[in-house]
Amino acid sequence: MCHVSRPLHNRALTVTLLCVLAAACSRPDDTATLTPAGVTLRGVIDLRIGAIDVTGSDTLLFEDISGLTFDSAGNIFVSDAGANRIFRFSPLGALEAYAGQQGQGPGDLDRPCCIAFDSAGFLWVEEEGNRRYSEFRAGDGQLAFTRSLPMPVQPSGRRDRIAWAPQGELVHVSLVVSPTPPQFRIVRVFLDKNEKVSFSDTLPEPPMDSLRSATITTQRGGSSGLTEVAQPFGPRSLHAIGPDGSTASAVSSRYAVTIRNPNRGLSALVDQAMVGPDVSEPERRAASRMLAELTQRLGVPRSAVPFGVPDRKAPLQQLGFDLTGRLWVQRSVALHAPNIADIYTMGGESVGTAEWPASVRLVGWAIRGNTGLGVEADSLGRQQVVRLQFN
């Protein structure tokens, strides 16, 4: 069955709008820089989108917000992997349309995650369940399905950004296992306009001894599998994919990030001397409990994971490119402390530092100019989309 959007201009919504400044509700500026180096801007929430009535009777909360983006007019787009839907909201938070339902047919969705606009203005949705990319026309307040593109190999499961190389190829990211020694590696595959693989490569990984993880072999139902377990707060391999296919990589235990252009040529290296904050006692207890529950679920003894919880966090939390190609290097912070990230150009020049509430998680690094989108959950786990203004 082919599905198109359901315009909902007259539908009642549960939306909280806090436009504290007139400029807060204006469209994002593609060319704006955040702030001069050495100055920290703080993200303030000026819009919340929460419970939405899309059925006419029952209130539906977001189940699993898996992707966020906005267009040049400031319209907000959300993918929900739990509800198998994508949504379009106006810059004021009004729900204009939604599309999708669980299934495999044209316009159906199965675990949609990352969403992004291509150069022609079409909205693309990565479907982890259907292993395909679906394209939607997002103009005139609607979401209309146009076509699907099958993935050449399985998705990475990391909810990486949908990106396009400078020649227009779609960049698909996959996670593969190297058998000897067992190791997970990230592979990029470029798809041309004829849906053919034009290029593929493996992103460089740091030496195994610089990481703190364990690859566990499990036996279930007569078959074996591999599960990689990373040390909580320990050294991890970090990767980010930019909107033009550029990449950034680092080991979280050291503030040293390599930025490469789409063809893997070295663009820049950003480096700072920094140590991470202490692991608090509540964090230590939660991480220890998680490791115990994980090994129990995998059916292996706790001794199969050769590490515990460190005293100090690695200095880096994650990496991400925003919608205009700036690299955000998010630092680790103390429990309940505001999030903080340093922002760089592709050439490694500092654009400034941004700080935002501890309760907000940036999904897909949907940031343009000084405006960004994130997800906030309450004590019951109910999710809301929030818009941030960095001032």
Side-chain angles (χ1 to χ4, degrees), residues 277-278 280 283 313 331-338 358:
D278 291 337
S280 68
E283 289 173 317
K313 300 177 184 179
R331 307 179 198 169
S332 295
V333 295
L335 181 64
H336 303 313

Side-chain angles (χ1 to χ4, degrees), residues 6-7 18 34 36 61 91 103 124 138 155 180 186-187 194 200 247 255 261 265 268 276 283 296 319 344 364:
R6 292 83 163 173
L18 303 173
L34 281 171
L61 297 175
W124 285 76
T180 308
I186 299 172
V187 174
N194 297 315
S200 67
T247 64
Y255 198 125
N261 64 36
E283 289 173 317
Q296 182 178 15
L319 309 174
Y344 300 91

Side-chain angles (χ1 to χ4, degrees), residues 42-45 337-339 355-361 376 388 390:
R42 287 169 174 80
V44 176
I45 297 173
N339 294 297
E355 187 178 286
W356 65 98
S359 59
V360 175
R361 176 171 53 94
E376 188 176 54
L388 298 166
F390 290 94

Side-chain angles (χ1 to χ4, degrees), residues 221-298:
S223 61
S224 61
L226 294 177
T227 300
E228 186 174 39
V229 179
Q231 182 185 35
F233 310 113
R236 296 179 294 118
S237 178
L238 303 178
H239 289 283
I241 308 294
D244 63 348
S246 302
T247 64
S249 59
V251 179
S252 65
S253 58
R254 183 180 171 220
Y255 198 125
V257 184
T258 302
I259 308 172
R260 297 183 182 275
N261 64 36
N263 297 319
R264 291 272 302 277
L266 180 64
S267 294
L269 174 69
V270 295
D271 197 340
Q272 292 190 43
M274 185 177 295
V275 296
D278 291 337
V279 176
S280 68
E281 191 55 36
E283 289 173 317
R284 179 179 304 280
R285 289 196 300 268
S288 298
R289 184 168 57 251
M290 181 273 294
L291 287 174
E293 292 173 351
L294 177 61
T295 53
Q296 182 178 15
R297 187 167 65 250
L298 295 175

